[in-house]
């Protein structure tokens, strides 16, 4: 009789042996999960680095809203999804994710856009304006940029606000 058996009957010894074997086999995959997770993270980082370059293509503002002092700028993003997720771990994801940094008329500040919708700036006074749109990754690192220059016509509705 061993320390684990409750009887000298051979049937009990076999059950205990089979039970211990099943437990060892069942637990084996869990011991290697840390290694699999590390390999998976390395694979995701490599996938993120092998992706085609992210690109932004911005269109000129729509004419009809611009006549009212509203810059309505549609854009297209390639090889990146715009989502409100940030940080170093998010920068490792594949497919790549990111957001926009938008600056009006060379101001020293910008705002972040995570909507994926057209950029709308209003009311704008008559005259020349410039909107810079920087495509950044989830860790705010620049990937591409587009500058849209335009003129709000004199007598626009924005001048009357």
């Amino acid at each position: 009789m061993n320390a684990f058996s409750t009887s000298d009957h051979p049937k009990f010894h076999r059950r205990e042996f089979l039970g211990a074997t099943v437990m060892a086999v069942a637990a084996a995959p869990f011991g290697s999960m840390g290694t699999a997770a590390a390999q998976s993270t390395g694979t995701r980082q490599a996938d993120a680095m092998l992706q085609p370059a992210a690109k932004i293509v911005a269109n000129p503002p729509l004419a009809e809203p611009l006549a009212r002092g509203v810059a309505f700028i549609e854009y297209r993003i390639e090889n990146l999804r715009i989502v409100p997720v940030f940080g170093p771990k998010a920068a490792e994801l594949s497919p790549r994710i990111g957001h926009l940094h938008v600056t009006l008329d060379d101001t020293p500040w910008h705002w972040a856009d995570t909507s994926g919708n057209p950029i709308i700036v209003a009311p704008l006074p008559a005259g020349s304006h410039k909107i810079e749109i920087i495509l950044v990754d989830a860790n705010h690192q620049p990937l591409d940029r587009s500058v849209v220059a335009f003129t709000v016509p004199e007598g626009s509705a924005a001048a009357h606000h």
Side-chain angles (χ1 to χ4, degrees):
M1 180 160 109
N2 62 34
F4 298 106
S5 65
T6 57
S7 167
D8 285 332
H9 195 281
K11 186 165 44 172
F12 288 108
H13 293 293
R14 266 183 276 152
R15 282 186 194 158
E16 289 168 10
F17 175 75
L18 289 174
T21 303
V22 168
M23 292 299 287
V25 170
F30 295 107
S32 63
M33 284 185 87
T35 303
Q39 289 172 344
S40 176
T41 300
T43 302
R44 281 194 307 255
Q45 288 172 340
D47 287 347
M49 292 177 3
L50 294 175
Q51 296 178 58
K55 184 176 179 179
I56 181 167
V57 177
N59 298 328
L62 298 177
E64 191 272 325
L66 193 58
R68 296 189 322 262
V70 178
F72 190 101
I73 300 172
E74 296 175 317
Y75 60 88
R76 181 181 80 247
I77 303 295
E78 297 175 5
N79 305 314
L80 181 135
R81 288 183 43 216
I82 299 291
V83 292
V85 179
F86 308 96
K89 289 292 183 191
E92 297 173 4
L93 295 177
S94 178
R96 185 183 296 120
I97 62 172
H99 58 280
L100 304 176
H101 287 176
V102 182
T103 304
L104 173 66
D105 293 335
D106 295 320
T107 57
W109 52 269
H110 65 265
W111 70 89
D113 184 278
T114 61
S115 71
N117 295 323
I119 296 168
I120 302 171
V121 182
L124 288 168
S128 296
H129 297 281
K130 178 172 73 172
I131 293 181
E132 179 181 39
I133 307 166
I134 302 173
L135 183 62
V136 299
D137 69 10
N139 211 25
H140 306 281
Q141 298 304 305
L143 301 170
D144 194 22
R145 69 189 277 273
S146 182
V147 176
V148 179
F150 57 92
T151 301
V152 174
E154 290 293 330
S156 68
H160 303 293
H161 280 197

